[in-house]
Amino acid sequence: MNKKVAFYTLGCKLNFSETSTIARSFEKEDFERVDFSERADVYVINTCSVTENADKRFKTIVKQAQKANPEAFVAAVGCYAQLKPEELAAVDGVDLVLGATEKFKITDYLNDLTKNDKGEVHSCEIEEADFYVGSYAIGDRTRAFLKVQDGCDYKCTYCTIPLARGISRSDTLENVLRNAKEIASKDIKEIVLTGVNIGDYGKGEFGNKRHEHTFLDLVKALDTVEGIHRLRISSIEPNLLKNETIDFVSQSNSFVPHFHVPLQSGSDEILKKMRRRYLTNLYLDRVKRIKKAMPHACIGVDVIVGFPGETDEHFLQTYHFLNELDISYLHVFTYSERDNTVAADMGDVVPMNVRNKRSKMLRGLSVKKRRAFYESQLGSVRTVLFEGENKMGYIHGFTENYVKVKAPWNPGLVNTLHQVELTSIDEDGLVRFEFVPENIMA
């Protein structure tokens, strides 16, 4: 009988793409992949360390694996495994901890799957993480996350990602295109480009800082791949989102009018303390440029509340800046102190109850922004890609500009594209629609 392996992924889309690549390496070793809730011989947990919460969840997930099979071999990989390997190795039930360079070679470390008294650690100095491993993940059959870049050369004062993932480096254009064609051959309709700092694409293509290609080159090349209906840029720094890229996307065959652009603060003073590479005037300019080229574009924003030194005045600057911006939704993060970051040693710590209050205010603003964006789209004709899950009798889907729609469950719609007219907003905030006759698209 084949041995069984199960995976649990914490964190970002990039982690999901890497879990899929690691899973394929197990398949080559004749492992059968099962759900994490099932009994398996090996459990692999791909960790994240962006928030404090992800650290805490790790122990709970290990217990879940042990409950399913007390004799199973438990391995931890990913960002938290790189940053605090000894801490993870000390968690009861963990047998193996692999850092940034070792995680893709996990099957080499499994040997006889005997449980260890204490987790065995194989982690490198992060300076050694200077090579690139390409990855892609297939979510629910309708979309895939394609990794194009890894690591980051930025030194934001709150962030551990450069410590966990190393320097900025990129996949070769040839390999990205090969992966995209492979995904297209599986009848997947949408690809989401992912990485740590994808606007930096091209850097490290040759294992050094020499560039042959840029992010714009990547976008143009992917736009020519046949069989991909939609390409989506996951998240791109405002200083790296160039006019040429915005203009190309506005005319593109496959790239959709949806941008996710991290802001982090609407106060220039706080942006400087964070060591971000732009100020609010540049951010405002990027939003205006997108909206001028694509008035119906969806723009998502990351923002951090409660950074050290953020006064009520700084927070209100952020709130008013976002309130007046023509954006569509927010991802709100409550600042949490991370070891070995500059911000962790800063004074003027914001009390946790104040951080939580500010977070709640911005989440409320996000609901308002999303509602206003959805209302602006009513009456328009859009193309919906339907998802594969039956959620309480409904099927959901997303338009090209990221409006979430719902309809009574119909399995025939799964992984198909249809033109629809957006008609109304339901009480749960999702959009209802009517099909545009005879415009079924595949």
Side-chain angles (χ1 to χ4, degrees), residues 189-240:
K189 303 286 193 290
E190 179 173 309
I191 290 178
V192 183
L193 301 186
T194 183
V196 174
N197 188 0
I198 63 173
D200 215 17
Y201 176 82
K203 192 184 280 185
E205 238 181 310
F206 304 95
N208 54 31
K209 296 298 173 199
R210 189 162 66 85
H211 269 255
E212 185 175 334
H213 298 104
T214 63
F215 183 69
L216 181 61
D217 294 335
L218 174 74
V219 164
K220 286 180 172 175
L222 281 166
D223 202 46
T224 65
V225 175
E226 285 182 23
I228 300 169
H229 296 263
R230 286 182 174 179
L231 285 152
R232 203 177 288 278
I233 298 167
S234 63
S235 179
I236 184 164
E237 293 284 305
N239 50 303
L240 295 174

Side-chain angles (χ1 to χ4, degrees), residues 55 58-59 80 84-91 97 118 121 339:
D55 298 0
F58 177 75
K59 288 179 184 170
Y80 191 24
K84 297 194 175 176
E86 301 297 339
E87 202 172 288
L88 290 195
V91 172
V97 179
K118 184 178 184 297
V121 173
D339 288 347

Side-chain angles (χ1 to χ4, degrees), residues 296-333:
H296 60 299
C298 177
I299 303 175
V301 182
D302 288 343
V303 61
I304 296 170
V305 296
F307 187 79
E310 184 187 64
T311 62
D312 286 345
E313 189 183 352
H314 292 135
F315 172 70
L316 287 172
Q317 279 178 346
T318 297
Y319 188 94
H320 294 311
F321 182 69
L322 288 166
N323 191 33
E324 287 162 25
L325 265 187
D326 194 0
I327 53 159
S328 316
Y329 64 90
L330 304 172
H331 282 174
V332 184
F333 298 90

Side-chain angles (χ1 to χ4, degrees), residues 105-204:
K105 301 179 282 193
I106 184 170
T107 54
D108 298 347
Y109 290 101
L110 294 180
N111 303 325
D112 59 358
L113 301 186
T114 307
K115 293 288 289 175
N116 293 323
D117 294 335
K118 184 178 184 297
E120 196 180 298
V121 173
H122 296 275
S123 75
C124 63
E125 292 302 316
I126 197 62
E127 290 74 24
E128 293 168 33
D130 58 358
F131 57 90
Y132 185 87
V133 177
S135 308
Y136 67 83
I138 294 163
D140 55 3
R141 268 196 333 113
T142 58
R143 69 171 57 81
F145 302 116
L146 174 58
K147 174 182 165 185
V148 299
Q149 183 273 343
D150 200 350
C152 188
D153 292 342
Y154 287 9
K155 298 290 185 285
C156 301
T157 52
Y158 53 82
C159 186
T160 57
I161 287 174
L163 300 172
R165 286 188 168 271
I167 60 170
S168 180
R169 53 209 189 275
S170 309
D171 205 350
T172 62
L173 189 58
E174 181 187 22
N175 200 47
V176 172
L177 295 175
R178 187 185 307 120
N179 282 339
K181 285 169 187 165
E182 209 171 294
I183 292 165
S185 73
K186 298 178 193 291
D187 192 35
I188 287 161
K189 303 286 193 290
E190 179 173 309
I191 290 178
V192 183
L193 301 186
T194 183
V196 174
N197 188 0
I198 63 173
D200 215 17
Y201 176 82
K203 192 184 280 185

